[in-house]
Amino acid sequence: MQKKILYLLVMTGLLVLLSGCTQINQDITSESTGIWNEYFVYPLSVLIKYFAGLFSESFGLSIIVVTLIIRTILLPLNVKQLKSSKAMQDIQPELQELRSKYSSKDQKTQQQLQQETMQLFQKHGVNPLAGCFPILLQMPILIAFYHAIMRTQEIQTHNFLWFELGAPDPFFIMPIVAAITTFIQQKLMMGGSGQAMQNPQMKMMLYIMPIMIGVFALNFPAALALYWVVGNIFMIAQTIFIRKPMMKETETGGASK
C-alpha cells in the first residue's frame, strides 16, 4: 500500500535525520540561539531537568515521565492515525477484488484500476495518505525530544537501572526490547493477521522497522533507547484500548447485517 510505503520512507528519513542533525554535539542551554533551539529543544530540556529534580536527580525516570506526557499530548493525532489505518483495512477485500479484476499490466488497465480505486476511496470516505499526516506533524516534536536528550549535559553523566544514559547499553538489552516492542506495536497497528497481513509491503515493513530501530539503538545513547521503549509501550497500550473496541464495533456491525 502506498500509505505504508510512505510511512516507512518517512520513518527512515527521520532516523537518518536524527543521526546527522546539525548542532547535535553542542549542549543546549539558555544561551542557545535560533527558533529551533529556543522554542523546541530548550523547553524540553528544561522539562526533563525539572522532573529529574522531582525524582532525586533520576534522569531516567524523568525521560519516562516526559515521554508519557508527550505521547499523551499527541494522543488525538495517534487516534486519527488508528482510525485511518482501520478504514484502509476495512476496504482491503474490495481492493483485492479490483486488483484481481485488473491484473493486466498494460497502461490502460492500470489507469482503470487507479480510477476505480479512487472511486472506492471516495465511496468509503477513505484518504490513503491520511494516516501519514499525524506522523509528519509529530516529527518536529520527536526530533526536538531527541535533541533534548542528546544535548542535555546532565543526562550524559547519569545512570539508570543497569546502563549509563549517555552511552549505548553494554548488554544490548534496551536495543532488543526496543526492537521487540516496535514489532509488537507494528503488528497491532496492522491488525495482527487477516487481510492486512496478506499485503507483502506491510509484511516487509513489519520486520524492517524493528530491525532499523534495534540497529539505531545499538549505536545511540541508552537514553534514546529508553525513550523509544517507553513510547512503544504507550503506543501498544493505546492500540489495545482504542483499536480493539473499533474492531469489535466492526464485527458487531457485520454480524447484525
Side-chain angles (χ1 to χ4, degrees), residues 8-39:
L8 178 59
L9 292 175
V10 167
M11 293 302 296
T12 302
L14 172 60
L15 292 174
V16 171
L17 182 62
L18 293 183
S19 64
C21 287
T22 58
Q23 297 183 320
I24 198 64
N25 294 321
Q26 300 178 14
D27 292 346
I28 185 70
T29 68
S30 58
E31 298 179 356
S32 299
T33 58
I35 295 176
W36 175 247
N37 289 327
E38 293 179 15
Y39 296 101

Side-chain angles (χ1 to χ4, degrees), residues 94-111:
E94 294 178 73
L95 283 174
Q96 292 296 333
E97 289 180 9
L98 284 178
R99 292 182 184 127
S100 298
K101 179 180 178 181
Y102 299 102
S103 57
S104 175
K105 299 298 181 181
D106 66 86
Q107 184 176 359
K108 184 177 181 180
T109 302
Q110 289 301 304
Q111 288 177 347

Side-chain angles (χ1 to χ4, degrees), residues 23-202:
Q23 297 183 320
I24 198 64
N25 294 321
Q26 300 178 14
D27 292 346
I28 185 70
T29 68
S30 58
E31 298 179 356
S32 299
T33 58
I35 295 176
W36 175 247
N37 289 327
E38 293 179 15
Y39 296 101
F40 290 90
V41 183
Y42 182 67
L44 282 171
S45 177
V46 170
L47 193 61
I48 292 173
K49 291 179 183 179
Y50 170 76
F51 281 105
L54 296 181
F55 298 123
S56 302
E57 297 303 309
S58 175
F59 281 86
L61 286 177
S62 177
I63 289 173
I64 292 174
V65 171
V66 175
T67 301
L68 294 176
I69 291 174
I70 291 176
R71 289 295 180 180
T72 301
I73 293 174
L74 295 175
L75 185 59
L77 292 176
N78 293 328
V79 171
K80 183 176 181 180
Q81 181 185 350
L82 281 171
K83 289 181 178 180
S84 176
S85 176
K86 177 183 175 296
M88 285 297 297
Q89 290 179 30
D90 288 343
I91 65 173
Q92 281 303 303
E94 294 178 73
L95 283 174
Q96 292 296 333
E97 289 180 9
L98 284 178
R99 292 182 184 127
S100 298
K101 179 180 178 181
Y102 299 102
S103 57
S104 175
K105 299 298 181 181
D106 66 86
Q107 184 176 359
K108 184 177 181 180
T109 302
Q110 289 301 304
Q111 288 177 347
Q112 186 68 24
L113 172 60
Q114 293 177 5
Q115 181 180 354
E116 292 201 24
T117 298
M118 292 306 300
Q119 290 175 353
L120 178 64
F121 288 156
Q122 293 174 0
K123 174 184 175 182
H124 293 277
V126 174
N127 183 348
L129 297 180
C132 296
F133 296 145
I135 298 173
L136 296 174
L137 291 174
Q138 293 178 46
M139 283 179 64
I141 299 175
L142 299 180
I143 296 174
F145 194 62
Y146 164 82
H147 269 247
I149 288 176
M150 297 293 290
R151 298 170 61 189
T152 300
Q153 184 60 38
E154 291 84 349
I155 293 177
Q156 311 304 316
T157 58
H158 280 76
N159 298 331
F160 183 67
L161 300 177
W162 65 87
F163 52 84
E164 294 181 9
L165 291 171
D169 183 349
F171 302 111
F172 312 120
I173 296 175
M174 292 301 292
I176 292 173
V177 175
I180 291 174
T181 53
T182 298
F183 176 83
I184 295 173
Q185 185 230 327
Q186 291 289 111
K187 191 160 188 177
L188 286 173
M189 284 284 292
M190 294 177 185
S193 58
Q195 290 288 340
M197 292 305 299
Q198 293 177 13
N199 189 299
Q201 295 164 347
M202 296 179 73

